Structures are given as C-alpha cells and as structure tokens.
Amino acid sequence: MNNAEKALARILFQNMLAKSMGDEFEGIFTKIMSYSSADFYPVKPQGPQGDWKNDGHEPNAGRYYQVYAPESFDEAKAIKKIEDDFSGLIKKWGDGKVYPVGIKEFYFVINDAYRIKPGAYPTTYAKLELLRQKYMLDVCRPFLAKDLEDKLMNLSADQIIAVVGFPPDPADIETIRFDLISEIIGHIIENFAPQSLESNLSNPQFEKKITFNNLKVAAKLLRSADYRSGSIEEYFSANSNFARQDVRDKLHAMYCDIRGAHQYIDEGDATAEDRMFFWILDQITPGNKNLSQRQQKEIQEAAIVILAYFFEACDIFEEPKC
C-alpha cells in the first residue's frame, strides 16, 4: 500500500471514527490493537462480574486499556469512570493478582475524533497524572484517536483493509485532492494566527539558513509565514505520526528532484534557489479556475507556512554547516 492509498485509508478511518461510539468504537479499537500487538488480549464481560474494569491488556508489558466513547462526552462522568475503573482494575489485576508483571501502564481510551478541538480536557490529564504518581506507574495517560490511527497506519496493507475496507484507486479520483498537504492548508486557513510583536522577533538560526541557501525573493515570504507555524504544530499534535512523515517525505522528495535537475540560474532579483522554492510552491498549490483570487491567495499563503515549517526543520533546502 503506497502513501496515496494510505492517505485514502486514513480518510476512511477518520470518517469511521466520527460515526463510531460505544461498543462500535470499542470493536474498532480491539481489532486494531489485536493486529498491532500479538500480546494484546481483549477482555469479554462475564455476566455479573463484568470485565474486571479491563477492556484490553498486554500482560507481558503490564499495559491496560479502558475505553470511554459515549455519544455525548461528559467530563464529569469521564473523571468518575477513570476513578471507578482504575480502582476496580487495581483490585482485580494489580499486585500480580493475575499476572506477575502487574500494572505498569494505564491508558484511558477516548474517541475524541474530529470534534472542534481534539484531545482530552485538562482535568482528565490531571486525574491520570495523579493516578500515575500515586501508584508509581510508568505511564498513565489518555489514548486518543491519533494514537489509534498511528497503530492502524503501521499495520500491513491487508490488515488496514480489514479495518477500513478497500480504499478507491487514487488514479480514479480526479475531482478532489485528498493529500495531507491540502488538508493542512485548509487547517491553516481556518485557524488564522494574528501577527504580534513576539511573532516578529527574528530567529537567528532561521536567518542563518536563509542566508546559507542564498534565498532572496523567497526570504521575505518565509519570514512572514514562519510566525504561523504554531497552527501546523496544532494540526500535527492532533494527528498521527504518519501525517507529519508523509508531508515531510513529499516535500523532501520535491526538493531533491528540483535540486538534482540543475535547471535554474540566477536571473534578475531571483536566485536559482528562489526559483527552486517557487517551483515547489507551485507543485503544492496547483491553480483552480473555480476559486476566487482571494481564495487562491489564502491557499498560497498557507502553503508558504508549510514550506517555512519544513524549511526551519531542515527537511527542504540545506542545513548550514557549522
């Protein structure tokens, strides 16, 4: 399964999670985790005894999971569930009662998928951290949709298909763009970050890299866009590692292709490196006659924010030598 097919599978998965609550979500979680780890075992409720507050575990690692995916998220109920479930978990599975390893890690699994702001509430993090300290656990934290997506994206092609179904052939899709770069551009446009005095402060390393790479015309655009990089970090923090790596690999490959072509020279105010920059920009923002000039401008500005982010990370253009 190539990255284009994985990108489509990811969209199918996100749509699946957006509609999955309760037992349906737990079933998806169980299937992915079972494929992901040979040591993962789901726990089936046993009449009045229930599941002993354990929705799934990896006993050799001392790793336990509890799923919470109601139709309507209630933080007060979530906190109570953490308290009640962990208390029951310790009582039945802790201190080597079932396995000698005991409980080393606890994950509170939340289907936070595609709400306005993904993630868990601060009180959830705080409660789990208190449990970690009290019981001296190695890990005690939320397990979010992005974590489950990471597990999915690391499965084999057959296993991914078993979870999300057969994705359509990317070659058959002509009317929409489904790549992650377009998705991030949309996120940046929707999450505008205003300029401030702090955001205008120069970054010495950023400036050093601009000079080292002989960027002149593109330099002003990169400086102006760099202050909005926080919106990209916000996007990546809410998505799987596959998202960041896929975009990084695409941009790095584009840069290597154009750098290896040696087809540009300095001309007028623009250096050869400037022209390479604008070639990459053109590749990720193809024209669309159905968009207004304002929309095209917003898209291009958001795309430059992406380039500034990966420029600073040294994934495109050259890193200054010490």
Side-chain angles (χ1 to χ4, degrees), residues 137-267:
L137 303 176
D138 294 336
V139 179
C140 187
R141 67 168 180 83
F143 186 96
L144 307 174
K146 68 169 187 173
D147 299 308
L148 193 58
E149 185 182 312
D150 265 331
K151 297 285 187 182
L152 176 72
M153 291 294 101
N154 284 314
L155 299 180
S156 68
D158 287 347
Q159 290 170 335
I160 292 174
I161 290 170
V163 174
V164 303
F166 283 94
D169 186 342
D172 293 337
I173 301 177
E174 299 177 352
T175 59
I176 64 169
R177 298 190 70 210
F178 55 85
D179 60 278
L180 283 161
I181 293 177
S182 296
E183 187 175 313
I184 298 171
I185 285 174
H187 175 83
I188 294 169
I189 292 172
E190 292 171 5
N191 294 273
F192 176 74
Q195 281 275 21
S196 66
L197 178 60
E198 184 179 348
S199 68
N200 283 319
L201 297 177
S202 62
N203 180 335
Q205 288 301 115
F206 195 77
E207 292 297 325
K208 184 178 180 180
K209 188 174 181 186
I210 286 175
T211 301
F212 183 79
N213 282 279
N214 197 31
L215 292 166
K216 295 182 179 179
V217 177
K220 183 178 180 181
L221 298 176
L222 286 168
R223 292 188 189 104
S224 179
D226 186 49
Y227 83 93
R228 297 176 67 186
S229 62
S231 60
I232 299 182
E233 280 294 352
E234 182 184 67
Y235 172 89
F236 285 138
S237 69
N239 284 274
S240 63
N241 291 329
F242 168 78
R244 186 192 299 265
Q245 190 63 43
D246 183 60
V247 175
R248 181 264 173 204
D249 290 348
K250 284 180 180 177
L251 293 178
H252 184 71
M254 287 180 189
Y255 171 67
C256 290
D257 285 347
I258 193 62
R259 183 187 61 181
H262 297 296
Q263 65 186 67
Y264 292 117
I265 60 173
D266 293 357
E267 188 175 334

Side-chain angles (χ1 to χ4, degrees), residues 62-124:
R63 192 174 294 133
Y64 291 77
Y65 300 86
Q66 185 59 244
V67 178
Y68 182 61
E71 288 189 19
S72 178
F73 192 89
D74 186 312
E75 179 62 2
K77 290 181 179 178
I79 294 296
K80 188 175 187 307
K81 183 172 177 61
I82 291 173
E83 294 172 341
D84 293 346
D85 286 0
F86 193 80
S87 175
L89 185 72
I90 286 288
K91 183 179 179 180
K92 293 290 188 178
W93 302 86
D95 299 326
K97 290 183 174 67
V98 179
Y99 301 106
V101 174
I103 300 172
K104 299 294 184 184
E105 301 178 16
F106 177 71
Y107 296 88
F108 190 60
V109 184
I110 304 171
N111 183 11
D112 65 319
Y114 323 114
R115 296 185 176 95
I116 296 174
K117 288 287 185 180
Y121 288 114
T123 47
T124 298

Side-chain angles (χ1 to χ4, degrees), residues 205 208-210 212-213 252 255 259 310-322:
Q205 288 301 115
K208 184 178 180 180
K209 188 174 181 186
I210 286 175
F212 183 79
N213 282 279
H252 184 71
Y255 171 67
R259 183 187 61 181
F310 285 97
F311 175 84
E312 185 170 10
C314 298
D315 292 315
I316 55 174
F317 289 89
E318 304 303 310
E319 184 174 4
K321 296 179 174 61
C322 297

